Amino acid sequence: MTQDPARLRLGRIRCLRETIKSLETGSPLPTALCFVPKQIEYITTGKGTALAIHTGPSAESKKLGEVKNDTPIKVLGHGLDSWNDQGQWIQLADESLAKFLGNKGGGVSKNEGWMLAKDNAVAVDAGPYLTPIVKKSLPGLPTTGSDVAASKWEDAVEHAYSVRIGGAAQAAIDLQQCCDEKAVEQLRAVPDNWTLEHDEELAKFVTNTKAKDNNLDIMLDSMTVDLSEYVSTIRASSENDEAQTLLDRNPDSDTYWESDGNTGKHWLRLQIRPGIVIRRLTLILDEEDGNFVPQAVEVFVGSTVETLALSKSVVVDSPVDEMVVLENCSTSYRYLEIRIKRCFSDGGDCRIRGVKLIPATMVVAGLNQDMFGNADFANYPKLDRNIPKEKLYHRALVLKRAIQLFDSAIGLITPSWSHSLQSFGSFSKIRQLLVLSTFRSALLSTFLRNSSSSGSGKMPVIHLNRRLAREHSHDPTADTTCSNSLFNQMFEALKPQNCGSNLDYRWSSRQEQWWECVFSNEGMIDQGGGFRETLSELGEELCPSASDVPLPLKLFCRTPNQLHDTSNLYRDTYIPAPGCNQYQHFTWVGQLMGACLRSREHLILSLPPFIWKQLNGEPVSWEDFATVDTAQVKMLESLVELTEEGFEERFSGLLTFSVALSDGTSVPLVPNGADTAVTYAQRLEYASLVKKTRLEENKKQIDALKKGLLMAVPKSVLDLVSWQELEQFVCGDPELPVDSMKKTAHYDEGLSETSAIVKHLWAALENFSNEERSRFLRFVTGRRRLPAPLWICPGRWDDGTVDALPESATCSSTLFLPNYSNAKIAAEKIRYAAYHCVAIDTDTSPYDEEE
């Protein structure tokens, strides 16, 4: 993409802008984006097995005949293929139907005659397959210089939107002459009553459904392919001869490439054969290699060695046997360079045992019609079950095209760390669709890496008294300044004049601890556990998880939904207190949120979508305010719809031009509003004033939070993520399914997932509530949400003790698990420890602390 002429790049941006406008307004999408060629020529690549022709895209439909496949055969098909669980189906053109069926095809309509091009039920290298014959450009159109398959929609976009002599009118005529108009209109059509919100929900459904469907991943993992079929040469930063062994088809465990050079300077460079589009590229490793195992990798791609550009960054939390470093490429690359930035435990050299490349032509599409046939749309209420699955499939198909277009253009329009996204403009309006992007994660990693600071070199040491903080939490009225709260102790301790460092909160993701804690009268050495405990306790002070405890701080207040409404989903949330003017404190909270986004740490703030959207720069409406005060929203809705008689009956003499804010403060809407009654004729004016006042009640506080967030994170990052993703980056995943916890677990000293005591542990956690699992996670790691590493070791008892309480070391996220008689007893002991044994383990005598 980086070497394309400027007119082609500008053409993509023009088409993307028009596409976004169509999505916003619910109008038909651009013709070029929905382009489908009239016909595509295929050739058979399998040998021996006959190809069946069916009346529809299903093996269960009537079989019309079959075609021998002893030698490669050319097949002419319609431009729009069809994917389902069985594979990819091609609708045969009339010419091919007549050729293969002759008189036997009598009575076959133009809508009949389908052939299975890729069969999901057979091994990918067994065939038979139909593959499109590669050509340079659209039939009858000027050559664009593209190397993609014939009649691609990308060619149509470049032809229609790139500046040429002759103008857009001639381009439209050219496209009309070579497209399948009926298929194009199918893709352009907008389902009835469809809005951008429907597209956003559809994108989430497609992403989540793919994530839960492991069939594709299993198939990719099981493939054995010869790397030399797709890679012509391989070069290395050192030990080049050893690197050639990576081209072996099945390298055994004793064959590997081991680098020899300076840390962070190791690389492998692959020269890819022409026309190969990568579906997945994986490094084969051995987690037993210890500090030789790569932890952080960057992948660069380009048409020449001199023009290599970053495509993706990959970081893993623990040693793995396989590391996927690149997926879902939309175009082919001539050169690909894998740079190993660091290994585990600061290892100097790396060891790679193989490279596995799966080309896009060997796998099924990640999108098919059967995804929508029997889908459970319970979590996607806007996706009406009555919409035909073909329409949902076609809409999802063009959404993926739109995001591919976005991926190809975003690198050209997104500015650097020091600028706002002025040039991003309308593109940020489709951020909820970016879950479909394959390029965004690499871009986000680049922005965060380039904007990180190297740090002062000396970790701040802060002294905290948690006993005073707990006493304050139990009775905040005893100290109205809140000076004893952990929040204020830390805020003061981390000021430059007190900690000796001017913190910018733009730490690298590699920095696992931001400060070292010394807790008064708690003997311990903080190697990370104490630090993480402070983040957990900060979140609890700011937004207490219990609804019946006093608020230790004045920064946030409980939402009216939490206090009054018993039916709203957001009944555990807080918002910045409208009456609090401690803007420096809000800014510091924003900086902590930004630091968490950059790292694997969490600051759990239970905020409603109304707040997260504003922090992320997404527009909010009065409907969004229902996540704060549902009663107020419903009251205004009923007020507007009331008849004059109904108004007099319900509100006569009771309603004045004043309103209560979320913190209970009453404010006038007009001068002397508290003494001015609202009449029926004034009810619409009253409703408008209430909406404006409530929507802006904590604007200054939110602005201060966002100011701190932007001090730690580039605005371009916020513009590329949704508010839901921002919340998860800062707070972690609130859901703690046991399967997800198992994926973060590591076993030491002879334990495994099949060990009896480990089975008791997982059985116990299966019966825990989400809150109890969160307590358990904090007991072991100091974190309350995932992701969090979990190391499981046998209990530290040598005398055969059974059914003891578990122990933990939060600094190393280690659980010392005793032997238990059964899962029930394990649950009792683990639950007790999670709730009652949260003090930091003693590493030193508390009396050794310096005064």
Side-chain angles (χ1 to χ4, degrees):
M1 293 291 182
T2 57
Q3 298 304 303
D4 290 338
R7 64 179 179 82
L8 300 185
R9 287 178 272 165
L10 289 173
R12 297 188 192 111
I13 294 174
R14 293 189 189 100
C15 183
L16 183 57
R17 286 187 180 276
E18 187 176 326
T19 299
I20 293 171
K21 185 176 180 180
S22 296
L23 292 170
E24 279 191 282
T25 59
S27 55
L29 291 163
T31 299
L33 181 75
C34 302
F35 177 82
V36 176
K38 285 184 177 179
Q39 294 178 334
I40 293 180
E41 193 173 23
Y42 296 84
I43 189 168
T44 62
T45 55
K47 294 182 179 180
T49 304
L51 303 174
I53 301 176
H54 293 266
T55 57
S58 170
E60 287 74 40
S61 63
K62 181 181 177 182
K63 183 177 177 181
L64 297 172
E66 59 184 27
V67 180
K68 291 183 178 180
N69 191 29
D70 297 329
T71 59
I73 303 169
K74 289 186 178 181
V75 177
L76 200 60
H78 288 280
L80 188 61
D81 57 6
S82 178
W83 287 86
N84 57 30
D85 287 342
Q86 293 173 351
Q88 180 193 20
W89 291 85
I90 304 300
Q91 185 181 1
L92 300 181
D94 292 347
E95 180 181 330
S96 287
L97 277 175
K99 174 183 175 182
F100 297 137
L101 298 180
N103 294 330
K104 292 186 296 182
V108 176
S109 71
K110 292 183 179 180
N111 293 324
E112 294 178 317
W114 294 79
M115 186 176 287
L116 189 60
K118 292 182 174 67
D119 189 348
N120 293 350
V122 301
V124 292
D125 53 355
Y129 293 109
L130 301 178
T131 56
I133 297 175
V134 177
K135 295 180 179 179
K136 283 291 182 181
S137 65
L138 289 166
L141 299 186
T143 300
T144 64
S146 173
D147 286 328
V148 297
S151 305
K152 293 279 249 180
W153 65 269
E154 294 94 335
D155 291 327
V157 167
E158 293 177 356
H159 181 72
Y161 289 91
S162 299
V163 177
R164 286 188 178 87
I165 298 175
Q170 182 60 43
I173 294 173
D174 291 340
L175 288 179
Q176 190 175 10
Q177 290 175 349
C178 61
C179 76
D180 183 333
E181 293 186 41
K182 182 179 178 180
V184 169
E185 288 308 311
Q186 284 181 326
L187 296 184
R188 294 190 70 214
V190 183
D192 293 340
N193 303 315
W194 194 268
T195 67
L196 179 58
E197 291 182 350
H198 291 82
D199 284 321
E200 293 171 350
E201 205 152 277
L202 179 59
K204 292 173 187 174
F205 169 78
V206 170
T207 302
N208 293 338
T209 302
K210 286 176 60 181
K212 294 176 182 177
D213 183 3
N214 296 321
N215 292 336
L216 179 58
D217 287 331
I218 292 171
M219 187 174 71
L220 291 176
D221 291 339
S222 65
M223 289 182 184
T224 56
V225 296
D226 189 348
L227 185 66
S228 62
E229 290 184 22
Y230 312 113
V231 176
S232 56
T233 62
I234 188 167
R235 297 286 183 268
S237 55
S238 59
E239 306 299 330
N240 198 63
D241 290 341
E242 286 186 9
Q244 304 312 306
T245 63
L246 300 178
L247 287 173
D248 293 344
R249 181 179 177 88
N250 291 306
D252 57 51
S253 59
D254 294 328
T255 304
Y256 55 80
W257 169 69
E258 184 176 309
S259 64
D260 183 13
N262 295 328
T263 302
K265 302 296 183 181
H266 314 309
W267 52 262
L268 288 172
R269 184 183 303 141
L270 281 60
Q271 184 173 350
I272 311 297
R273 297 189 184 278
I276 300 299
V277 178
I278 297 174
R279 172 60 176 84
R280 177 177 290 183
L281 185 71
T282 306
L283 295 183
I284 308 301
L285 311 169
D286 186 345
E287 63 180 43
E288 299 298 327
D289 285 339
N291 62 1
F292 285 95
V293 179
Q295 182 180 21
V297 168
E298 293 179 346
V299 181
F300 288 72
V301 296
S303 56
T304 66
V305 175
E306 293 74 22
T307 59
L308 289 173
L310 179 66
S311 176
K312 188 174 183 180
S313 299
V314 179
V315 180
V316 293
D317 294 332
S318 58
V320 293
D321 288 330
E322 293 192 0
M323 178 189 289
V324 177
V325 296
L326 195 62
E327 286 188 288
N328 302 320
C329 293
S330 58
T331 188
S332 58
Y333 302 106
R334 194 73 176 106
Y335 290 93
L336 184 148
E337 189 167 287
I338 304 167
R339 301 179 185 177
I340 293 84
K341 305 307 293 182
R342 71 173 183 273
C343 294
F344 282 93
S345 304
D346 295 322
D349 288 304
C350 65
R351 188 176 292 168
I352 296 176
R353 296 182 176 273
V355 179
K356 185 176 180 180
L357 188 156
I358 306 296
T361 54
M362 293 183 64
V363 298
V364 300
L367 185 69
N368 74 67
Q369 292 192 35
D370 290 336
M371 289 171 59
F372 307 97
N374 299 310
D376 182 3
F377 292 133
N379 295 328
Y380 311 93
K382 292 187 180 299
L383 301 184
D384 192 340
R385 291 178 180 272
N386 295 322
I387 300 176
K389 67 177 183 179
E390 293 82 4
K391 284 191 175 182
L392 289 175
Y393 169 69
H394 288 152
R395 190 68 180 180
L397 186 63
V398 291
L399 286 183
K400 291 194 70 174
R401 288 187 179 185
I403 298 307
Q404 283 180 251
L405 202 59
F406 175 90
D407 283 347
S408 70
I410 187 60
L412 309 173
I413 55 180
T414 305
S416 63
W417 150 256
S418 58
H419 299 87
S420 66
L421 244 63
Q422 298 296 327
S423 59
F424 197 74
S426 62
F427 298 147
S428 63
K429 296 175 183 177
I430 60 168
R431 73 177 82 202
Q432 292 283 348
L433 304 179
L434 298 185
V435 291
L436 299 173
S437 172
T438 59
F439 181 67
R440 183 182 58 146
S441 60
L443 201 61
L444 291 173
S445 297
T446 301
F447 288 154
L448 291 173
R449 183 179 60 255
N450 292 347
S451 62
S452 64
S453 61
S454 57
S456 62
K458 182 179 179 181
M459 184 182 298
V461 179
I462 60 176
H463 293 255
L464 304 171
N465 191 318
R466 294 203 293 182
R467 179 182 60 80
L468 292 179
R470 292 191 182 105
E471 289 177 355
H472 170 75
S473 293
H474 291 149
D475 184 15
T477 60
D479 177 19
T480 57
T481 66
C482 305
S483 58
N484 286 336
S485 67
L486 191 71
F487 180 95
N488 277 297
Q489 289 186 55
M490 291 180 62
F491 180 77
E492 294 298 325
L494 289 171
K495 286 182 175 179
Q497 63 268 30
N498 295 329
C499 72
S501 299
N502 190 9
L503 306 180
D504 61 12
Y505 297 86
R506 289 190 280 117
W507 291 292
S508 164
S509 59
R510 295 181 60 184
Q511 189 155 339
E512 297 181 352
Q513 186 174 350
W514 307 338
W515 52 75
E516 180 183 340
C517 298
V518 177
F519 293 128
S520 299
N521 300 317
E522 297 181 58
M524 55 87 71
I525 297 174
D526 182 12
Q527 295 180 330
F531 154 69
R532 289 192 294 273
E533 277 284 328
T534 59
L535 287 179
S536 292
E537 294 184 20
L538 274 182
E540 189 63 26
E541 280 193 346
L542 290 166
C543 301
S545 55
S547 60
D548 57 351
V549 299
L551 296 179
L553 300 169
K554 302 176 181 178
L555 274 71
F556 292 84
C557 66
R558 291 184 170 95
T559 63
N561 281 345
Q562 184 175 167
L563 296 173
H564 308 300
D565 196 313
T566 59
S567 62
N568 193 273
L569 292 176
Y570 298 97
R571 293 202 62 243
D572 60 347
T573 54
Y574 296 77
I575 60 170
C580 182
N581 59 4
Q582 299 174 21
Y583 301 120
Q584 283 187 323
H585 287 172
F586 282 116
T587 299
W588 186 56
V589 173
Q591 287 180 289
L592 291 174
M593 294 169 71
C596 288
L597 186 153
R598 292 179 158 282
S599 70
R600 293 187 293 273
E601 304 305 330
H602 305 138
L603 178 65
I604 301 179
L605 300 175
S606 185
L607 309 178
F610 177 74
I611 302 299
W612 287 112
K613 285 186 176 183
Q614 293 181 79
L615 291 175
N616 204 37
E618 295 188 42
V620 292
S621 65
W622 182 243
E623 287 72 22
D624 292 311
F625 198 73
T627 64
V628 176
D629 193 345
T630 300
Q632 181 86 82
V633 172
K634 290 181 177 179
M635 178 268 190
L636 291 188
E637 287 177 355
S638 64
L639 179 68
V640 170
E641 296 173 356
L642 278 177
T643 63
E644 186 169 1
E645 182 181 355
F647 177 86
E648 293 296 331
E649 182 180 337
R650 291 185 57 184
F651 296 110
S652 179
L654 300 176
L655 204 61
T656 64
F657 276 95
S658 63
V659 67
L661 305 182
S662 293
D663 60 359
T665 306
S666 181
V667 297
L669 301 174
V670 296
N672 301 315
D675 300 320
T676 306
V678 179
T679 66
Y680 177 75
Q682 294 171 320
R683 76 192 193 287
L684 298 183
E685 177 190 2
Y686 169 80
S688 177
L689 290 171
V690 169
K691 289 179 182 179
K692 184 178 187 301
T693 301
R694 295 301 306 275
L695 286 172
E696 297 177 355
E697 66 179 9
N698 44 24
K699 183 179 184 302
K700 292 182 179 179
Q701 291 78 9
I702 294 173
D703 287 345
L705 279 170
K706 190 169 183 178
K707 176 184 176 182
L709 185 60
L710 290 174
M711 291 169 68
V713 176
K715 187 174 186 300
S716 49
V717 168
L718 297 185
D719 281 306
L720 289 173
V721 299
S722 66
W723 69 263
Q724 298 97 325
E725 291 170 318
L726 174 62
E727 179 183 15
Q728 189 157 335
F729 288 152
V730 174
C731 304
D733 191 345
E735 297 299 321
L736 297 172
V738 173
D739 285 344
S740 297
M741 298 177 74
K742 286 181 178 180
K743 291 177 182 178
T744 69
H746 309 274
Y747 305 99
D748 280 348
E749 301 181 30
L751 290 183
S752 70
E753 194 168 343
T754 60
S755 301
I757 60 173
V758 174
K759 287 182 177 180
H760 289 330
L761 168 67
W762 296 126
L765 292 176
E766 286 282 2
N767 292 316
F768 277 22
S769 67
N770 201 69
E771 170 62 23
E772 290 171 333
R773 290 179 198 142
S774 179
R775 294 267 188 168
F776 165 77
L777 199 64
R778 181 178 173 183
F779 167 67
V780 179
T781 71
R783 299 181 175 98
R784 288 163 55 188
R785 294 190 180 185
L786 293 174
L790 185 63
W791 296 88
I792 302 174
C793 298
R796 296 184 284 194
W797 299 270
D798 298 325
D799 57 358
T801 299
V802 179
D803 299 338
L805 287 172
E807 296 181 351
S808 67
T810 55
C811 290
S812 58
S813 300
T814 301
L815 171 69
F816 296 99
L817 190 63
N819 285 313
Y820 289 114
S821 304
N822 53 56
K824 182 179 179 181
I825 294 177
E828 292 174 358
K829 298 295 184 179
I830 294 169
R831 184 181 288 111
Y832 183 90
Y835 276 83
H836 300 285
C837 306
V838 294
I840 295 293
D841 50 332
T842 302
D843 300 302
T844 64
S845 169
Y847 303 104
D848 293 338
E849 296 179 14
E850 296 181 3
E851 296 294 332

